[in-house]
Amino acid sequence: MIKLGVNGKEVTLDLDPETPLLWALRDELRLTGTKFGCGVAQCGACTVMLDGMPRRSCVTPIGSIDGSEVTTIEGMEGPEIEAVQAAWAALDVPQCGWCQSGQVMSATALLQLVSNPTDEDIDNAMNGNVCRCATYVRIRQAIHDAAKTLEG
Amino acid sequence: MTHVSPQLSRRGFLAGTAGFTLALTLPLGGARAQSAAASGSAPFAPNAFVRIASDDTVTVMIKHLEMGQGPYTGLATLVAEELDADWSQMRAEGAPGNDALYANLLFGAQGTGGSTAMANSYMQMRKAGAAARAMLVEAAAAEWGVPAEEITVSAGKVAHPSGKSSGFGALAATAAGMAVPEDPPVKDPKDFVLIGTDRPKLDSVAKANGTAGFTMDVYREGMLTVVVARAPKFGAKLRSVDDAAALQVKGVEMVREISSGVAVYATGTFAALKGRDALVLEWDESGAETRSSAQMLQDLSDAAKAGGAMVEEAGDAGAIDGAAEVLEAEFRFPYLAHAPMEPLDAVIETKEGKAEMWFGSQFPSFDKPTAAGVLGMKPEDVQINVLLAGGSFGRRAQGSAHLAKEVAEVAKAAGRDGVFKLVWTREDDLQGGYYRPATVHRLRAGIDAEGRIVGWENAVANQSIMAGTPMEGMMQNGLDPTSYEGSNDLPYDVGARRITWARVDSPVPVLWWRSVGHTHTAYAVEVFLDEVLEKAGKDPVQGRLDLMLPEATRQRAVLEKVAEIANWSGRRAEGKGYGVALAKSFGTYVAQILEVEDRNGFPHVTQVWCAVDCGVAVNPNVIRAQMEGGIGYALGTALFNEITLGEGGGVEQHNFDGYRMLRISEMPKVEVAILQSGEDPTGVGEPGVPPLAPALANAWRALTGQTVHQLPFSTLTA
C-alpha cells in the first residue's frame, strides 16, 4: 500500500510499487490531464509537481515517493497557473494540445521560481518539454505575457 | 477549384424542446444516414452540421479530424459567418463516422488529408450556416407576425425595427418547424464579419487546462488496456509464443495472438507493459526486410540512375548534353517517423453483435468497414466516435486502416464482449513503420553560354505510398503522384524537361507524412536550382523571378512578398547566411527566407520569414500558427531526424533520445505575411513544411559553401 497526497486529498494505492506515477494517476485516479508521450523522461508531457517541484511522472515509481504530495494540472492553484493559462488561451498556444498540460506545468514552475524570466531562463526551463506541433514561438511569448500579468 | 454545392433538399430540422439541428443531405448517390447518434443529445438527427440549443449555443459538427491544424475553429467560423452568430456562442464537436453526411467533398468519402478541410468545406459550411439563419428568420417572422424581409440578424441577435428581438435559442423550437431552404444565398465576401479576422480558437482553453478529451483519456467500465508485441523486423512472422510468465504478472488477464503480433490484455497500462516484457517470442525472419537503410538508399540511387516511368517530358532530350555547362547532383532522404505526441491508440466496445469505437480516426471511411470486416459485422453496426487527436502529421491517415484493424482484432480475439483500449508506446510508434518513404533524387541541368537553363532532368526513386492499399485505385498508368509531386509542373522555365519515377518496393510500410512528396521534392528542386543559379551568376530571389513562368503569378507574389518582409536585398549580417525557397503544395503557395549561423559546424537557425497565399484567409491566426508549426516541424526534421535500419534490418531508433525533436531553444523567430486574396481558400496544415529544409540548405551553402546532399543535417557531424 502506497499513500500519496494527490491534489490535496490523501489516496492509498494498492499497486505494484514499480508502477510509474503517470499510470497510477491516469489508470487508477482518472486524472487524465497528465499525458503519456515517451515513458523515458524525454518529452515532458507527463510533468506534475512533486512536493512543489516539477517531476516527470512517467519515470517516477510510486514506491519511491510514498508519503509525497503530488499536484497535477487538475489540482494546480495560484496566480502563476492562472496567469499562464490565461496567456495560453489569449495567444492560442495549443495546436494538437497533447503536450500542453506538461508545458503549462513547466511554465508555471518557472514563474514560481523566476518572476521575470529571460529568453535564456525560458530555454533552460522549457527545453525538456517537446511540442511536436512546434508551438514554441507562442509558448515563449505566453510565458513573457504571463510574467507581465503577475507583475501587475 | 470548383465548389461542390450541397443540396439542402431533405427536410433536416428535427424539432426538440432544447433546440434544433440542421441536417444537410449531400449529393452522394442516394447514400443515407445511418442510425449513429451524433452526440450525447440522442434525440437529434445524426446527420447534422449545426445544432442550436435553447441556451443560445451553436454547436458545429466538424467532419474533419482536429489534430491541431484548426478545423474546429475554421469550419465553425464559416457557419458563424453566414449565421451571423456571435463568436462567443460557437462550439465545435467532432462528427462521427458517417460517409453519407460527413464525406470530404473532394474525396467522396469521409477523411481528412491533403490539407483539404477548408477547401472542401468552404461553401458547404457557409450554406449550412445560411440555411439555419434563414430558418431562424422565418421563425421570428412567424412568431412576431412581421415580414421576414424586415428582420435582421447580427452577432447572435435576431431583430425587427419594431423593437422585437431575440437570441437564437428562444427561436429554435419554432425554427425547427420551418422548411429547409433549397439553396440559401450566402454573403458577398465584402460583407464578411468573421472570415478574414483573428478570433480565439475554440479548443485553446480546454487544451491549456488538461480537460480536452483524447482517445487515451477514455475510460469505460470493465475496460482492459492492451499492448501488442510486434515483429522486430518488417515482414517477420510469429513462430512461437510462450506467455506463461506474462500471465503471472498481476493485472494481466489474457494473451492472444493477432495478425500484427501478440496482444497482452491487462487491468492497467503498466501491467500490460510488464506482461508484454515477460513474453518469450520467436520470429520467422525468412520474409523480412534484412537490408540496412544505407543499402536501401544505395539501391534507390541505382534505381534512379536506371531511370523509371516518365512523369513529364518536354523539349529536346539532348538539350543538356549540348549545353555549355552541365550540373549534376544526387540528394538522399531517409525514412521519417511522424511521431505525433499522442501515440496511436483506440478504444473499442463490443456488445451483442455491435461495436462502438472512440479514436482519432482520420479516415473513418476506411476504418469503419475494416473494423466491421474483422468483427464479422455490417458497417452500420460499427459506430466510430471521432475524438481529438494528439497530432497526426499523416500517421493516422491510413489507407490500410491498420489501427482500426488491430483494435478490432484485439476485440475479436478476446472471445467475449468487452471494452478494450489499445495503446502504442513511443517505441512501438518509432519502430512500427509507416514511415515517409526513403527517397533518392538525381538531377541534371544544362546552362548555355548566356547562363540560361536549357534542360532539366530529375529522376526520383522511392517506394509507393498508395500501391498495395485501397488507395491503389487512385494511381494512374502505374504512377503514384504522391511519390514525386513537386518534381514536375515546376513554376520555372527550365527548358527541356524529363522527370521520371522509379518505384522500388520493400516490406517496410510507408505512409504520407506532412506534405507527402513535397517533403523531398521541394528540397531537391530548390537546392539544385540554387546551385544552378549560382553557376549562372544569378541572385537566388531575382534568379527565380526571372525564371518564373508567366502563369505563375501566385508563386511570384509570395516570393516578392517574402523578399520584402525579410529585406532580402538589404539584410546581410556578419556571420549569418541567408537562403530562400518556394513551394506550392495542396493549392497553397509558400515562400520562406531563412537566416542561419554556423555553430561548431552545425546550423543554428535564428529567424524565418514566410509569405503564404492560401486564398481567402478565413482565420489569419490559425494560418500563422500553422506556418510557425510547419516551420518548426520541418526544421527539427531537417536537422536531426532519420529512421535507420541497421545491418539485418532492425530499426535503430527507439525513443525521443534517438529520434530527437526540435526544442524551444532551437526554434527560430518567425514572421508570417499572409497575402490578400479573393481566391477560394486552400489548406495550411501541410504547406508550411516544404520550403523550410531547402531554404535552410541554401542559407547554409551561402554561409559555408557546403551543399547538403543527404538529410538530416546531423549526418554532417556524425
Side-chain angles (χ1 to χ4, degrees), chain A residues 16 20 23 26-27 30 35 37-38 40 42 85 92 94-96 98 100 127 130 132-133 136 138 140, chain B residues 67-68 201 204 207-208 216-217 219 269 274 338 341 391 426 621 625-626 628-629 655 662-665:
Chain A
D16 182 341
W23 298 118
R26 292 181 56 86
D27 290 349
R30 306 285 158 88
K35 302 302 189 194
C38 70
V40 294
Q42 289 286 319
Q85 286 174 332
D92 284 315
Q95 290 187 23
C96 89
W98 187 255
Q100 296 294 341
N127 242 14
V130 167
R132 189 65 172 135
C133 303
Y136 298 126
R138 294 183 189 214
R140 184 183 302 285
Chain B
M67 44 194 164
K201 286 168 72 179
S204 289
K207 286 175 173 177
M216 209 176 289
D217 304 334
Y219 287 86
T269 314
K274 211 168 166 179
H338 311 70
M341 288 306 291
R426 180 59 55 200
N621 180 31
Q626 286 307 299
E628 292 161 8
N655 207 309
L662 189 83
R663 294 181 184 268
I664 194 169
S665 61

Side-chain angles (χ1 to χ4, degrees), chain A residues 136-152:
Chain A
Y136 298 126
V137 170
R138 294 183 189 214
I139 288 173
R140 184 183 302 285
Q141 188 59 48
I143 293 173
H144 285 308
D145 289 359
K148 249 177 234 145
T149 305
L150 289 168
E151 250 174 35

Side-chain angles (χ1 to χ4, degrees), chain B residues 577-664:
Chain B
Y578 299 87
V580 65
L582 164 72
K584 173 197 176 192
S585 60
F586 312 100
T588 294
Y589 303 78
V590 181
Q592 292 169 357
I593 287 173
L594 180 148
E595 178 185 79
V596 70
E597 296 171 1
D598 181 348
R599 293 203 182 163
N600 304 316
F602 197 70
H604 177 79
V605 179
T606 46
Q607 189 152 1
V608 177
W609 295 266
C610 174
V612 52
D613 173 1
C614 56
V616 171
V618 173
N619 187 332
N621 180 31
V622 172
I623 295 165
R624 283 193 301 274
Q626 286 307 299
M627 293 301 118
E628 292 161 8
I631 284 164
Y633 191 86
L635 177 59
T637 303
L639 291 175
F640 307 120
N641 290 156
E642 57 178 336
I643 291 288
T644 54
L645 279 60
E647 294 300 327
V651 176
E652 295 180 308
Q653 292 72 30
H654 298 264
N655 207 309
F656 287 148
D657 45 357
Y659 196 74
R660 183 177 166 331
M661 303 288 98
L662 189 83
R663 294 181 184 268
I664 194 169

Side-chain angles (χ1 to χ4, degrees), chain B residues 660-693:
Chain B
R660 183 177 166 331
M661 303 288 98
L662 189 83
R663 294 181 184 268
I664 194 169
S665 61
E666 294 151 346
M667 183 74 197
K669 289 182 184 150
V670 177
E671 183 179 342
V672 178
I674 302 169
L675 273 77
Q676 290 287 324
S677 171
E679 298 283 334
D680 290 342
T682 50
V684 292
E686 298 173 272
V689 170
L692 190 283

Side-chain angles (χ1 to χ4, degrees), chain B residues 396-561:
Chain B
R396 298 175 209 273
Q398 300 159 6
S400 67
H402 75 89
L403 179 67
K405 177 170 182 251
E406 189 170 71
V407 76
E409 287 191 14
V410 161
K412 187 179 184 195
R416 61 163 174 83
D417 282 352
V419 192
F420 309 96
K421 179 196 282 181
L422 171 67
V423 174
W424 285 47
T425 63
R426 180 59 55 200
E427 290 82 0
D428 297 339
D429 171 58
L430 292 178
Q431 302 213 298
Y434 298 92
Y435 304 131
R436 192 284 303 272
T439 300
V440 169
H441 284 245
R442 293 178 61 88
L443 293 110
R444 290 175 78 225
I447 307 172
D448 71 11
E450 282 78 49
R452 265 187 327 131
I453 304 174
V454 294
W456 178 276
E457 290 178 5
N458 189 353
V460 186
N462 59 15
Q463 207 175 326
S464 167
I465 295 169
M466 291 188 186
T469 78
M471 301 284 187
E472 190 157 337
M474 290 165 68
M475 292 173 64
Q476 287 159 3
N477 306 322
L479 293 175
D480 178 350
T482 64
S483 296
Y484 55 76
E485 58 186 357
S487 64
N488 57 327
D489 288 333
L490 298 181
Y492 308 115
D493 178 1
V494 289
R497 300 179 303 284
R498 293 173 68 82
I499 314 297
T500 58
W501 173 56
R503 173 180 157 183
V504 181
D505 292 342
S506 159
V508 180
V510 293
L511 200 55
W512 5 69
W513 186 102
R514 195 177 189 177
S515 77
V516 195
H518 301 281
T519 58
H520 50 86
T521 58
Y523 190 90
V525 168
E526 290 286 306
V527 175
F528 187 56
L529 179 64
D530 234 48
E531 292 189 292
V532 173
L533 289 172
E534 184 183 31
K535 187 64 78 175
K538 304 275 180 70
D539 171 78
V541 169
Q542 192 56 47
R544 280 173 172 77
L545 291 171
D546 291 347
L547 285 179
M548 208 76 84
L549 296 167
E551 61 270 28
T553 53
R554 297 176 76 180
Q555 284 95 337
R556 174 179 295 276
V558 290
L559 185 54
E560 287 175 341
K561 186 70 183 175

